[in-house]
Amino acid sequence: MISARIASLLAFMLYLAFMVYIGMRNAHKNASAADFFLGGRNVGPWMTALSAEASDMSGWLLMGLPGLAYLGGMKEAFWTAVGLAVGTYLSWLIVAKSLRKCTEHFGNAITIPEFLTNRFNDKKHLIATIMVIFNLLFFTIYVASGFVACAKLLNSVFGLPYHAGLMIGLVVILSYTILGGYLAVCSTDFVQGTLMFIALIITGATMLVVLGGPSAALAHVTQFGERAMNGEFNGVSEKMQAAFTKNQNFGVVSIISAVVWGLGYFGMPHFIVRFMGIRSADEVKLSRRIAIVWVLVALGVAVLVGSLGTVYLPHVLNTSAAETVFSETIKLMFPAFIAGIFLCAILAAAMSTADSQLLVASSSFSQDIYKGLLKKDATDKQVLNMSRIAVFAIAAIAFVIALDQNSSIFNLVSYAWAGFGATLGPLILLSLFWRRTTRNGALAGLIVGAVTVIVWHSLHGGIFDVYEILPGFVLCGAVAIVVSLCGRPDEAVLAQYDAYKA
C-alpha cells in the first residue's frame, strides 16, 4: 500500500513540476499586455483547439459529469453532453472566424470587454465596467469549482486533508499562470487536453471489456438502476434512490434544461478568447474539426465511465463521494504509477479551466478597468503587474468559497455557466452579426441577463425548474434588440461595422 502510494505521488509530483516548468519557460515571452493576455495572436490551430476544449471542460468533465451519471443513471448526463457537443460545434462554426476578424478590426481588442467597448463606441466604458463586475463574480465561482476538484482528487488518492489539497492546487495554478500568461496557459492546456483524452479512452474501453462488452455492460447498469431505485440493497443512499427515480421520469422540461447548456458556449470568455488568439482566421476550420472530435469522444466516454462505475466498482460510493467515481475506477484498474499518471488527467481538467479563467478575469480587470478607467496612461509593465495582482486576488476569493467540503463541482459550474452564457452570449452574436445593435441595447441586455440568472437560480418549482441559462439568454437578447430598435444608432459605429463587413 505504501509503495503504491509513493508511486502515485511520484507521478503527481512529476506532472505538477512539468506544469510549473512550462510557466517558467514562457515567462520571457510576455513583452507586452497583448502577449500576456492573447499570446500575440500567434497560436496555431492544434494548440488553439485542444487548449480551448481543455479549458472549457474543467474538473466537471472527469468528476462532475461522471458523478451525475453515477448518481442518476445516463439520461440527464447524456442530454447535458448532447447540448454541450452541439453548443461547441455551433460556437466554432458561427462565432470563431468572425470574432477573430472583428476583434482585430475594432481597435485590435485583446479582451472581450475591450472589444464590446470599441464595437459600440462606449466612451464612458459602462459596458466594460458592468461586464467586468459580472465576470469577476461568475469567474470566482467557476475557479472555486476547479479548486474543489483538486482537493477532492488529492483526498481520494492520497488521503490528504481536503484543505491541504486546496492549498496545493492554489499554489501550482497560481505559479504557472502568473509566470507565463496566455502562452503558458495554452501550452499547459494542450498537454492537459491530450492527457484527459487518452485517460478517458483507455479507462472507458477497459471497463467495457471487463464487463463483457457493450450489451452486457448496459444490462448490468440497467439492473443496478432498477435495484437502486427500489432500495433493494444496502449502500444506496436515499439521495441516490431519488436520483434514479428522477432519471426514470426524465421529461421534456428536464431534457430542455440539459440541452440548453450548449447556449453557454456563445458567451464563455475563457473559451471564446481562444478564437481571438488563433494565428489566422483561415486556420479556424482545422481547429474546429480537431475540437469537435475531442469533445464528442470526451463527453461520450465521461458519461459512460460514470454509468459503468455503478457496476464496475466493488463498493457503492455514497452521495458526497459520487464525483470521485472516475478516480476510484482508475485506482482499481491500473498499477500505481500508471494510475497516478491517469489521475493527473483529473487534476489537468481542473487546472486547465482555473488557469484560463484566472487569466481572462484578471485581463478584463487590468485592461478594461485599471487602464481603461483608473489609469489611462498606464504602461504595459504596469498593466502586467496589475494583472498578476488580480490573478492572486481572484484565486484567494475562490479559495475561500471552495473551503466548504460539501461543495458540488457540478452545481458550482452550472451557476457560473448560466451567468456567462446568459449575459454575454447574445451580445457576442448581436455584435458580430447585427449592425443595428446599439450601446444602450447591449448594456440593457447585459444587465437583464445577469439579473434573470441570479433571480431564477434562487427560485424553485414549476417553470423555475428550467435551467436559468435559457430565460436569461432569451431575455438578454430580446431586451438588447428592443432597446436598440427604440434608440438612434451611432452613425460612426454603423460606418465602422460596414467597413468591417466589406
Side-chain angles (χ1 to χ4, degrees), residues 38 175 178 181 242 251 270 313-314 369 419 434 457:
L38 215 55
S175 297
I178 289 176
H270 60 281
L313 295 176
I369 299 299
W434 191 41
H457 181 79

Side-chain angles (χ1 to χ4, degrees), residues 366 370 379-391:
S366 58
Y370 177 68
T379 64
D380 267 352
K381 185 175 181 179
Q382 290 173 321
V383 173
L384 286 175
N385 289 337
M386 180 55 64
S387 181
R388 292 184 168 108
I389 293 172
V391 167

Side-chain angles (χ1 to χ4, degrees), residues 2 6 11 35 122 230 260 273 305 337 350 358 375 403 407 414:
I2 294 177
I6 291 175
D35 291 334
D122 183 13
N230 296 325
V260 294
V273 74
V305 168
F337 185 77
L358 285 171
K375 190 175 176 61
L403 288 174
S407 297
S414 173

Side-chain angles (χ1 to χ4, degrees), residues 139-151:
F139 266 134
T140 304
I141 296 171
Y142 216 143
V143 171
S145 75
F147 290 162
V148 170
C150 290

